[in-house]
Amino acid sequence: MNFTRWSARLPGTQRRAAARTDHPMTPDRLGESSGPGSVPAARAEQLTGGAPPVPAVDALPTREVLDRIPALVALVQGADHRIAYVNDAYTAAFGVRPEGSPAREAAPELDELGLLPLLDQVLRSCKPRTVKSRKAHSGRSYTITCTPVEMTATPEGSGGVLIFAADVTDHAEAAERLRASERSQRETAVTLQRSLLPQELEEPDDLRVAAVYHPGGTEAAVGGDWYDVITLGGGRTALVIGDVMGRGVRAAAVMGQLRTAVRAYARLDLPPHEVLQLLDGLAAEIDANQIATCVYAVHDPNEGKLVYASAGHLPILVRDESGVVQRADEPTGPPLGTGDWIHASGSIPLTPGSTAVLYTDGLVERRNEDLDEGIAALERALSGATGSPQVVCDRLVRSAGVTADHDDDVAVLVLQHPARTGPDSDLFRNAALDLLGGIEAAPRARAFASGVLTSWRFPTELHDVGVLAASELVANSLQHGTPPMRLRLRRTDRRLIVEVTDGDDHLPLRRTAEPGDESGRGIAIVAAVATSWGSRRTPGGGKAVWCEFVLPNPARLGAAAPREAPRVP
């Protein structure tokens, strides 16, 4: 076995060391050196302290050197990789291996480590190959370098492969502990994220909704995407989607605080831009370094549109009944937490038969691709997406190529305003009366309410309390409000809604009237007989006061079968 012939195929420092030892600098050669930079032999002896010359590599006992190497060394020969040599460290790790036997039979550990195909590749290419952190049956991990060698000492002069395996078990175990810690942190963040999202979406009377949330892949920390559906009363619904910038538990915790705050502000029944204004100040207080985007939209079935405000978020997409997709225009303000910005509300039509999509950037943003291209692709996918909101959700996610190893969180909220026909349309009815004149408007309002509720075939008890509520709300508006005034009655498959609007923006308060007071009991009476009541300021100035009654027996009132609750994956 000629060790010097290996040097041309040894990688790295081994090759350089072999090159240096091919021409050892003996004292005679030192004396022969001449030139401006040479060192005299006497000087060389002083520098080396009279030490004996280093023997050439050829003079070293090769087998003894290899046997003492702590790494595992083996030499295989020929196409069937017959064992030519294994050192003591290899024998200690895997046992004695008979020389001359094929590696597949005599050294099963090479097959277990997946090295046999690699040995074939090294022989064919005559290039060294390295594999990292391969785990053996013993539990030890090795980084293995396979280097081609020429074995001219053998009669046939066939090629061989030198196998050098360094034990990296400590490093592999440390890396696995780190990966386990990262997995644990990610699972904690995902659990926190999912627990802060709505476990079950609220079911508006006039909308069908569905949502989906996909955390980023295993290599990406979970983000702060969130969504929500909030029933505001009076038939109105708030829809929210947002994205906290950043990753991990901190982003999920900030998301939870913002979602809770949105629900609290929504109960105030404020316009969308005022809700974002309040949320902007809160976001700066929670964490001045944490930025979030958000869209807050409100659907009123009486208006047939979405009124929304956006804080740096992606535009809402709406597909009408004919399949045409419209992108919500400005206004769009900066993200939450930046401050010093006055948000504004906009609107987009949401007529019966329409589908609206709210989403986070993980659905449309890709590396090396413009964001507008991703939104345009989503528009094309939405134009052909039909079916229930959950079906639309799933189709949009698939069309965007979102998989389990996606590198960003994805949240999608889909809502539909169904176009009702046939018997179902009879369960959703509206009736309105403009209140003109003075006190004589009150009896007209009572007569109108009585006639409408009778035509809707409500039972006597519900008819009577509905007329009472309409009478009290109209009387309160005539006494404390200003024209124009209007009474609106609305029924859905699950409730009756009574609403009165006027031109005064002072909201009524429920108070306790003294025994001698001749007024002040109207709102208290409404609150006592209705399931719920509330008030809000209207965009053009003025206010709306409403109350609603849950239908006690939907089957008797001709209501449709109970609807399936929207699914939240």
Side-chain angles (χ1 to χ4, degrees), residues 128-163:
R129 295 287 186 270
T130 299
V131 292
K132 296 183 179 181
S133 194
R134 291 287 177 90
K135 194 169 186 177
H137 182 70
S138 62
R140 310 296 294 178
S141 296
Y142 300 93
T143 291
I144 305 166
T145 299
C146 298
T147 304
V149 295
E150 295 179 4
M151 302 182 64
T152 55
T154 59
E156 60 274 16
S158 61
V161 179
L162 179 68
I163 303 170

Side-chain angles (χ1 to χ4, degrees), residues 12 68 117 141 179 244 451:
R68 293 184 180 182
S141 296
R179 286 192 292 269
V244 177

Side-chain angles (χ1 to χ4, degrees), residues 198 200-205 207 209 226-241 258-270 275 279 294-301 306 358 413 415 566:
E200 196 171 303
L201 292 179
E202 296 185 18
E203 299 180 67
D205 290 3
L207 298 176
V209 295
W226 95 90
Y227 55 82
D228 211 345
V229 177
I230 309 165
T231 53
L232 302 177
R236 303 166 74 248
T237 306
L239 305 120
V240 194
I241 196 162
L258 292 179
R259 176 176 173 256
T260 302
V262 169
R263 293 192 70 87
Y265 295 147
R267 298 305 176 191
L268 300 175
D269 215 341
L270 300 172
V275 171
L279 204 59
C294 179
V295 167
Y296 181 88
V298 175
H299 174 255
D300 189 333
L306 275 180
L358 291 76
L413 178 62
L415 56 136

Side-chain angles (χ1 to χ4, degrees), residues 46-188:
Q46 294 175 7
L47 292 175
T48 58
V54 178
V57 173
D58 284 340
L60 294 176
T62 304
R63 188 181 186 94
E64 182 179 347
V65 171
L66 294 179
D67 283 341
R68 293 184 180 182
I69 292 177
L72 281 59
V73 179
L75 183 66
V76 296
Q77 170 196 357
D80 55 353
H81 311 303
R82 295 181 177 274
I83 303 295
Y85 166 79
V86 294
N87 71 346
D88 293 344
Y90 193 103
T91 301
F94 298 114
V96 177
R97 296 293 178 258
E99 294 184 4
S101 301
R104 186 177 298 276
E105 302 172 2
E109 64 277 358
L110 297 182
D111 191 17
E112 175 192 339
L113 291 169
L115 294 183
L116 294 181
L118 187 66
L119 295 177
D120 294 334
Q121 183 181 1
V122 170
L123 277 180
R124 288 194 304 268
S125 66
C126 294
K127 294 181 179 180
R129 295 287 186 270
T130 299
V131 292
K132 296 183 179 181
S133 194
R134 291 287 177 90
K135 194 169 186 177
H137 182 70
S138 62
R140 310 296 294 178
S141 296
Y142 300 93
T143 291
I144 305 166
T145 299
C146 298
T147 304
V149 295
E150 295 179 4
M151 302 182 64
T152 55
T154 59
E156 60 274 16
S158 61
V161 179
L162 179 68
I163 303 170
F164 186 92
D167 192 326
V168 293
T169 304
D170 292 342
H171 296 285
E173 290 177 350
E176 180 57 34
R177 288 193 297 270
L178 179 60
R179 286 192 292 269
S181 175
E182 290 175 347
R183 285 195 299 269
S184 176
Q185 292 181 12
R186 183 178 183 278
E187 289 170 2
T188 300

Side-chain angles (χ1 to χ4, degrees), residues 229-438:
V229 177
I230 309 165
T231 53
L232 302 177
R236 303 166 74 248
T237 306
L239 305 120
V240 194
I241 196 162
D243 185 2
V244 177
M245 304 304 170
R247 298 283 184 178
V249 175
R250 179 59 183 167
V254 172
M255 176 274 290
Q257 295 177 76
L258 292 179
R259 176 176 173 256
T260 302
V262 169
R263 293 192 70 87
Y265 295 147
R267 298 305 176 191
L268 300 175
D269 215 341
L270 300 172
H273 65 276
E274 293 188 22
V275 171
L276 288 191
Q277 207 71 46
L278 294 172
L279 204 59
D280 181 58
L282 179 66
E285 293 178 10
I286 292 174
D287 189 342
N289 298 319
Q290 199 83 49
I291 295 177
T293 64
C294 179
V295 167
Y296 181 88
V298 175
H299 174 255
D300 189 333
N302 298 312
E303 297 177 357
K305 62 183 178 180
L306 275 180
V307 179
Y308 68 91
S310 175
H313 204 78
L314 300 173
I316 300 172
L317 302 181
V318 176
R319 175 188 183 274
D320 65 19
E321 197 170 12
S322 63
V324 176
V325 177
Q326 182 179 353
R327 185 185 303 190
D329 296 326
E330 302 288 346
T332 296
L336 301 175
T338 55
D340 299 329
W341 182 266
I342 303 299
H343 291 273
S345 293
S347 66
I348 186 170
L350 189 69
T351 55
S354 298
T355 299
V357 179
L358 291 76
Y359 52 96
T360 57
D361 58 2
L363 185 67
V364 295
E365 190 173 32
R366 299 291 182 271
R367 291 189 177 95
N368 304 321
E369 185 176 304
D370 189 77
L371 183 60
D372 284 336
E373 295 178 10
I375 298 176
L378 181 62
E379 289 179 349
R380 292 191 294 271
L382 177 60
S383 66
T386 57
S388 69
Q390 190 61 57
V391 170
V392 174
C393 256
D394 296 339
R395 289 189 61 178
L396 295 181
V397 170
R398 285 197 304 270
S399 69
V402 177
T403 58
D405 58 352
H406 193 62
D407 61 358
D408 196 5
D409 289 32
V410 173
V412 183
L413 178 62
V414 174
L415 56 136
Q416 289 180 345
H417 187 188
R420 297 180 174 89
T421 58
D424 191 41
S425 63
D426 292 335
L427 304 179
F428 293 81
R429 305 286 293 273
N430 282 284
L433 173 68
D434 291 327
L435 302 174
L436 305 175

